[in-house]
């Protein structure tokens, strides 16, 4: 038994640990070399290094030698690590099954520490990073510009910069344009600068903390001797060609930043929260509004331009119903561009307006309240009321006026207005038809051309029916929405039952994409414009709880029931309109 114990002790693995170099700084990676002589009891567990080091990778090599019939095995484990801070760091014992390595103490200099004492901080570094914010106390959903500058006076390769990450709340982020490159002088030295900008949009009020950014790059690590048999040419090209340069990995970290996000001001009177640097409303008419004719359309183009907002923050442009006018809105066109001040979003929408009766009409003013982030006050972007003068006879088959517009006036007033419209007549006082000044030859020629055109149309329709039969798609079938409505309804029900406001908002906007695939609302406020008043009020309560720190309760069951009723009515509408994708301009005429 004594001989067996001595033999086992002689065969136990011997483990040592050391670093690949002596001078180590906190912003540079290095390797821990674990050398195992013999066969260890198990695989190494490097998780104990996570306290003071960041493990970036590991590899191993094995060597077997036989000398005088005696076999020896040596295994080397190379672990690449990055110090988490400066000071005297401890490499704890690493277990290899029942075997373990010895403890090792490593002195690590702080990041940016130079070889000479008393010098400026920038002068003792060759790469460093600066971060800054243009506003540290923004309102919720206000644009904040984050500027990142990387200073260097050496060449590197394989560089990568981490994206900003925040603690304390959700932050929407968008990179602004391409990186800028320029030179500057600081501390008497010339630096190459790379600048990157981000637009940040905090979605919740309160304190936010941006974690330090991390720049990984490979920097030169000395220069090897010339490999040319002819010596140095004193020429940069030949000297670099006949030599090789080794690189090492370096990590540069920025400072952490903090934001104090303010909630929606209680004095804001708008139903849709919009915070921007500037908001403008513009209008453009395709014709003279003082000389319109019944039945002839005129196009109104409305545009909203806002600085410091995304497209999702812009409200939908709409016009109220006006009795005597038929209004057809077009799909909005959106555009987002990058300026020196950040994002600029533009939404344009066209409205085709067809007068059905002569007279004078007034389109009400269009107003959008918004919060000026520069002055901290509420302002209104508006377009003044527009007067429309319509001439001509009333249309024989007038377009049915919207019920909401007709409900605003008494029935007697509407009938009185219609009785005042003069009806065209071709009879004189004696009852004979007045056809004075009519060119009979011109009339006969027009009738002949009409008959020929109708005959050609009939022949073309017959030939077209014989050539092919219309497919289901051409017959006007409406393709099902791309959204999985079953999963969306289940998600809404689960979110309502759990009382999760954020999940309820996500489920509602997903359902809206299926209910209105042609023009889905992008916010709860926009969705509230399309539902019943009771449901709309609960949607606004939900929005205020999410973005304004309003702790008032919202009725999720009422929202779910209202959306189900709306979904049922929308399905009936889709099936009813299967044979006609567009509304006729004159429905009463058919």
């Amino acid at each position: 038994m004594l001989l067996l114990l001595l033999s086992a002790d002689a065969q136990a693995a011997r483990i040592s640990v050391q670093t690949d170099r002596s001078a180590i700084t906190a912003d540079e990676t290095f390797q821990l070399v674990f050398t195992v002589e013999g066969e260890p009891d198990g695989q190494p567990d490097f998780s104990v290094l996570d306290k003071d080091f960041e493990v970036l990778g590991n590899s191993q090599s094995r060597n077997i030698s036989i000398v005088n019939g005696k076999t020896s095995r040596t295994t080397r484990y190379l672990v690449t690590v990055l110090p988490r801070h400066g000071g005297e760091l401890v490499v704890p014992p690493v277990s290899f099954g029942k075997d373990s390595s010895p403890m090792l103490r490593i002195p690590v200099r702080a990041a940016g520490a130079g070889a000479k004492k008393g010098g400026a901080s920038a002068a003792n570094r060759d790469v460093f990073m600066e971060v800054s914010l243009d506003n540290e106390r923004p309102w919720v959903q206000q644009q904040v510009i984050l500027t990142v500058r990387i200073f260097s006076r050496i060449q590197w390769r394989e560089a990568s910069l981490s994206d900003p990450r925040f603690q304390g709340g959700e932050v929407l982020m968008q990179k602004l344009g391409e990186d800028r490159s320029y030179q500057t002088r600081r501390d008497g030295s010339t630096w190459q600068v790379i600048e990157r900008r981000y637009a940040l949009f905090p979605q919740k009020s309160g304190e936010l903390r941006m974690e330090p950014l991390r720049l990984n790059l490979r920097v030169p690590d000395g220069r090897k001797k010339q490999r040319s048999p002819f010596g140095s040419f004193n020429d940069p090209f030949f000297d670099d060609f006949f030599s090789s340069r080794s690189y090492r990995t370096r990590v540069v970290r920025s400072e952490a930043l903090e934001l104090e996000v303010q909630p929606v001001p209680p004095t804001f009177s708008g139903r849709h929260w919009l915070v921007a640097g500037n908001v403008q409303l513009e209008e453009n008419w395709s014709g003279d509004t003082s000389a319109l004719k019944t039945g002839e359309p005129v196009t109104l183009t409305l545009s909203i331009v806002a600085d410091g907002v995304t497209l999702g923050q812009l409200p939908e442009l709409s016009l109220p119903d006006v009795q005597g006018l038929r209004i057809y809105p077009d799909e909005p066109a959106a555009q987002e561009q990058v300026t020196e001040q950040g994002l600029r979003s533009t939404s344009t929408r066209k409205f085709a307006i067809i007068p059905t009766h002569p007279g004078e009409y007034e389109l009400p003013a269009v107003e959008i309240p918004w919060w000026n982030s520069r002055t901290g006050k509420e302002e209104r972007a508006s377009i003044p009321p527009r007067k429309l003068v319509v001439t001509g006879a009333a249309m024989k088959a007038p377009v049915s006026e919207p019920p909401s517009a007709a409900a605003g006036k008494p029935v007697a007033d509407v009938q009185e207005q219609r009785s005042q419209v003069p009806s065209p007549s071709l009879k004189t006082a004696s009852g004979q038809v007045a056809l004075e000044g009519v060119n009979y030859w011109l009339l006969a020629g027009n009738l002949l051309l009409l008959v020929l055109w109708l005959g050609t149309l009939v022949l073309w329709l017959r030939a077209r029916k014989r050539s092919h039969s219309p497919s289901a798609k051409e017959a006007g079938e409406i393709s099902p929405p791309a959204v999985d409505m079953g999963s969306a309804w289940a998600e809404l029900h689960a979110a309502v039952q759990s009382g999760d406001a954020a999940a309820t908002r996500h489920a509602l906007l997903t359902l809206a994409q299926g209910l209105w695939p042609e023009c889905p609302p992008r916010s709860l406020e926009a969705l509230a414009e399309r539902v019943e008043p009771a449901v709309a009020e609960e949607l606004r309560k939900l929005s205020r709880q999410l973005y304004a720190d309003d702790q008032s309760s919202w009725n999720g069951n009422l929202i779910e029931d209202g959306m189900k009723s709306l979904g049922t009515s929308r399905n009936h509408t889709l099936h009813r309109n299967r044979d006609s994708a567009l509304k006729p301009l004159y429905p009463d005429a058919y």
Side-chain angles (χ1 to χ4, degrees):
M1 291 181 60
L2 180 61
L3 291 176
L4 289 176
L5 289 175
L6 293 176
S7 175
D9 182 70
Q11 295 179 358
R14 292 188 294 271
I15 304 175
S16 62
V17 58
Q18 62 183 5
T19 61
D20 63 341
R21 64 177 185 271
S22 58
I24 300 174
T25 58
D27 57 354
E28 294 181 354
T29 61
F30 67 97
Q31 287 185 335
L32 292 173
V33 182
F34 293 85
T35 303
V36 181
E37 296 180 2
E39 197 68 31
D41 182 67
Q43 293 297 320
D45 180 13
F46 296 121
S47 61
V48 294
L49 303 175
D50 292 337
K51 178 181 179 181
D52 292 327
F53 303 92
E54 182 177 352
V55 179
L56 303 179
N58 65 83
S59 62
Q60 72 178 68
S61 62
R62 195 162 190 176
N63 181 33
I64 301 177
S65 61
I66 302 176
V67 179
N68 296 328
K70 183 178 181 182
T71 302
S72 62
R73 298 178 177 85
T74 302
T75 306
R76 300 182 67 202
Y77 295 87
L78 304 179
V79 183
T80 303
V81 296
L82 175 70
R84 297 187 182 275
H85 53 82
E88 188 178 54
L89 305 186
V90 176
V91 178
V94 175
S95 62
F96 291 73
K98 296 181 180 180
D99 300 326
S100 62
S101 64
M103 183 182 65
L104 177 66
R105 297 182 181 274
I106 304 174
V108 178
R109 294 182 300 176
K116 297 181 180 179
K117 299 181 179 180
S121 59
N124 295 328
R125 294 177 293 177
D126 46 23
V127 179
F128 66 96
M129 182 165 37
E130 291 182 349
V131 291
S132 61
L133 299 171
D134 67 339
N135 187 1
E136 296 181 355
R137 298 190 71 254
W139 307 94
V140 62
Q141 295 185 350
Q142 178 186 343
Q143 173 187 263
V144 179
I145 302 297
L146 168 65
T147 303
V148 182
R149 296 184 179 92
I150 301 174
F151 294 79
S152 67
R153 52 186 179 186
I154 60 173
Q155 294 183 351
W156 71 66
R157 63 181 185 181
E158 301 176 15
S160 62
L161 179 64
S162 63
D163 290 330
R165 296 194 302 177
F166 292 86
Q167 298 177 356
E170 180 184 4
V171 178
L172 300 182
M173 178 184 63
Q174 184 169 341
K175 185 174 176 288
L176 297 177
E178 300 295 330
D179 295 344
R180 303 176 182 178
S181 181
Y182 55 90
Q183 288 185 346
T184 186
R185 291 191 61 83
R186 181 175 295 189
D187 299 328
S189 301
T190 300
W191 295 83
Q192 188 71 26
V193 182
I194 297 179
E195 181 177 296
R196 178 176 295 184
R197 298 195 308 158
Y198 298 89
L200 309 177
F201 298 89
Q203 300 298 300
K204 184 180 180 181
S205 59
E207 294 184 357
L208 292 177
R209 182 181 184 272
M210 187 189 80
E211 299 178 359
L213 300 182
R214 174 171 167 169
L215 174 66
N216 294 332
L217 69 163
R218 294 181 62 81
V219 298
D221 186 17
R223 193 178 185 89
K224 293 185 179 180
K225 295 182 180 180
Q226 300 287 338
R227 294 182 299 179
S228 171
F230 307 103
S232 176
F233 290 94
N234 293 324
D235 182 272
F237 172 78
F238 284 99
D239 288 347
D240 187 70
F241 177 79
F242 286 108
S243 64
S244 62
R245 182 186 295 271
S246 61
Y247 288 81
R248 68 175 184 272
T249 302
R250 176 181 293 185
V251 177
V252 180
R253 294 186 177 90
S254 70
E255 297 180 351
L257 297 178
E258 294 184 355
L259 285 170
E260 184 179 350
V261 183
Q262 306 178 66
V264 177
T267 57
F268 183 70
S269 61
R271 294 162 57 183
H272 179 92
W273 168 246
L274 178 62
V275 54
N278 186 33
V279 177
Q280 293 182 352
L281 274 178
E282 301 173 355
E283 64 173 339
N284 183 32
W285 292 86
S286 63
D288 186 3
T289 57
S290 61
L292 302 179
K293 294 184 179 181
T294 56
E296 295 184 1
V298 63
T299 302
L300 166 62
T301 304
L302 289 181
S303 299
I304 178 174
V305 183
D307 292 333
V309 300
T310 62
L311 291 176
Q313 295 176 261
L314 292 179
E316 290 187 353
L317 297 173
S318 60
L319 291 179
D321 296 331
V322 179
Q323 181 181 352
L325 300 177
R326 185 65 174 174
I327 302 176
Y328 293 88
D330 199 357
E331 293 294 332
Q335 181 184 10
E336 194 175 72
Q337 61 186 104
V338 177
T339 66
E340 189 64 28
Q341 288 75 33
L343 291 181
R344 171 175 293 175
S345 297
T346 304
S347 179
T348 302
R349 196 173 196 181
K350 294 183 178 182
F351 300 84
I353 302 176
I354 303 178
T356 60
H357 293 79
E360 293 185 358
Y361 303 90
E362 184 179 87
L363 282 179
V366 179
E367 291 188 350
I368 296 180
W370 61 285
W371 190 264
N372 193 326
S373 60
R374 300 170 182 171
T375 62
K377 297 180 180 179
E378 179 180 344
E379 298 187 10
R380 289 181 178 269
S382 62
I383 293 178
R386 173 67 64 169
K387 183 179 180 181
L388 306 181
V389 180
V390 183
T391 59
M395 297 165 53
K396 291 184 180 180
V399 180
S400 60
E401 294 175 351
S404 59
K409 293 186 178 181
V411 178
D413 294 345
V414 176
Q415 294 178 350
E416 180 181 357
Q417 179 181 358
R418 292 179 177 175
S419 65
Q420 294 175 359
V421 178
S423 60
S425 177
L426 296 178
K427 293 187 178 181
T428 61
S430 60
Q432 298 178 353
V433 177
L435 296 176
E436 299 178 358
V438 176
N439 191 326
Y440 293 99
W441 291 105
L442 180 61
L443 180 60
N446 289 336
L447 290 176
L448 179 61
L449 290 175
L450 178 61
V451 172
L452 293 176
W453 180 82
L454 289 176
T456 305
L457 179 61
V458 171
L459 293 176
W460 177 79
L461 290 176
R462 289 181 178 178
R464 186 171 182 270
K465 289 182 179 179
R466 287 195 299 267
S467 63
H468 65 282
S469 60
S471 62
K473 183 176 182 181
E474 294 172 348
E477 289 188 5
I478 300 177
S479 59
V483 178
D484 187 354
M485 299 299 290
S487 301
W489 285 116
E491 180 183 355
L492 175 62
H493 181 74
V496 168
Q497 296 301 319
S498 62
D500 190 340
T504 303
R505 173 184 177 275
H506 181 271
L508 288 171
L509 295 183
T510 302
L511 283 172
Q513 295 178 5
L515 295 176
W516 294 278
E518 68 283 353
C519 184
R522 304 185 183 94
S523 62
L524 294 177
E525 290 79 2
L527 179 60
E529 300 291 337
R530 307 188 186 187
V531 298
E532 297 295 330
V535 182
E537 181 62 27
E538 296 302 324
L539 289 175
R540 297 188 186 100
K541 290 181 180 179
L542 175 61
S543 178
R544 287 195 295 268
Q545 189 182 57
L546 285 170
Y547 301 119
D549 282 349
D550 189 350
Q551 300 301 323
S552 58
S553 60
W554 49 279
N555 192 336
N557 294 324
L558 179 59
I559 294 176
E560 183 180 4
D561 295 340
M563 292 299 295
K564 289 182 178 179
S565 300
L566 179 62
T568 303
S569 63
R570 289 286 297 176
N571 289 334
H572 287 307
T573 302
L574 290 177
H575 288 291
R576 185 179 58 195
N577 294 338
R578 181 178 298 272
D579 296 330
S580 178
L582 295 177
K583 270 193 307 185
L585 293 179
Y586 308 104
D588 295 343
Y590 290 86

